[in-house]
C-alpha cells in the first residue's frame, strides 16, 4: 500500500529557503509571484493490506522521524 | 491563485537520501516499510485570476528553476 506524505512549515514559521527561491524567481523575470513556501514530500510503500494499520504505520513514521511537530504540519494521502 | 508543486525523482534515479531514511526507520523498529522515496514540495501563490495563465506561470517556474527535468518529474495541482 502506497502513501504520500506532505510536510509543510506551520503558517507562522518563517521560511527563509522559500524566500530565497521567491526572490530568485522574481530576479529571473517572473513578476506575478505572490508567495512561495517550500516543504518536504515522501512516497512511502508499506507491506500491509489493511488500510487502517497501514495508515497507522505511516503516521508513526511521521511522528518518530519525518516531521518536526513543533514547527511542521503533515498530511498523509493514499496513492 | 494557489498551487502545489510536487517534485519527485524519476523512477530509475537512485535516491540515497530516501534509502538512509528507510534504513533509519527500520533501525527504529518499523518493520513493514517496503520503500521510501523523498521528493520536494512547494506551495506557490500567484497574482493571477485566469487559471490557464496562472498554471502557465507555475509551469514556467518549474522548468526554469524548481525542477531538474533530467532526473525529476513534477506535478502541479490547484489548491
Amino acid at each position: 500500500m502506497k502513501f504520500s506524505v506532505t510536510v509543510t512549515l506551520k503558517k507562522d514559521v518563517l521560511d527563509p529557503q522559500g524566500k530565497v527561491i521567491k526572490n530568485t524567481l522574481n530576479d529571473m523575470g517572473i513578476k506575478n509571484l505572490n508567495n512561495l513556501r517550500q516543504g518536504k514530500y515522501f512516497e512511502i510503500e508499506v507491506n500491509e493490506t489493511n488500510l487502517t494499520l497501514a495508515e497507522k504505520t505511516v503516521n508513526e513514521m511521521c511522528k518518530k522521524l519525518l516531521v518536526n511537530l513543533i514547527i511542521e504540519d503533515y498530511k498523509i494521502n493514499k496513492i
Side-chain angles (χ1 to χ4, degrees), chain A:
Chain A
M1 212 169 267
K2 212 170 168 187
F3 296 87
S4 74
V5 175
T6 312
V7 183
T8 49
L9 285 168
K10 288 189 179 173
K11 201 171 59 63
D12 294 329
V13 178
L14 292 176
D15 177 15
Q17 199 172 352
K19 196 158 185 167
V20 170
I21 297 171
K22 179 175 178 261
N23 292 343
T24 307
L25 285 166
N26 283 336
D27 292 347
M28 289 168 89
I30 292 172
K31 292 301 170 211
N32 51 1
L33 170 57
N34 195 25
N35 198 23
L36 186 150
R37 281 173 84 80
Q38 186 170 18
K40 288 184 286 184
Y41 178 80
F42 302 97
E43 279 181 6
I44 300 172
E45 220 178 306
V46 287
N47 278 331
E48 176 60 66
T49 46
N50 181 308
L51 178 63
T52 315
L53 286 178
E55 273 186 336
K56 211 180 137 195
T57 306
V58 175
N59 199 36
E60 191 188 347
M61 293 178 202
C62 289
K63 291 203 168 150
K64 278 194 176 167
L65 184 72
L66 304 178
V67 183
N68 178 347
L69 293 166
I70 300 168
I71 56 165
E72 293 171 330
D73 289 324
Y74 67 102
K75 216 162 55 187
I76 299 170
N77 286 307
K78 197 177 173 316
I79 49 176

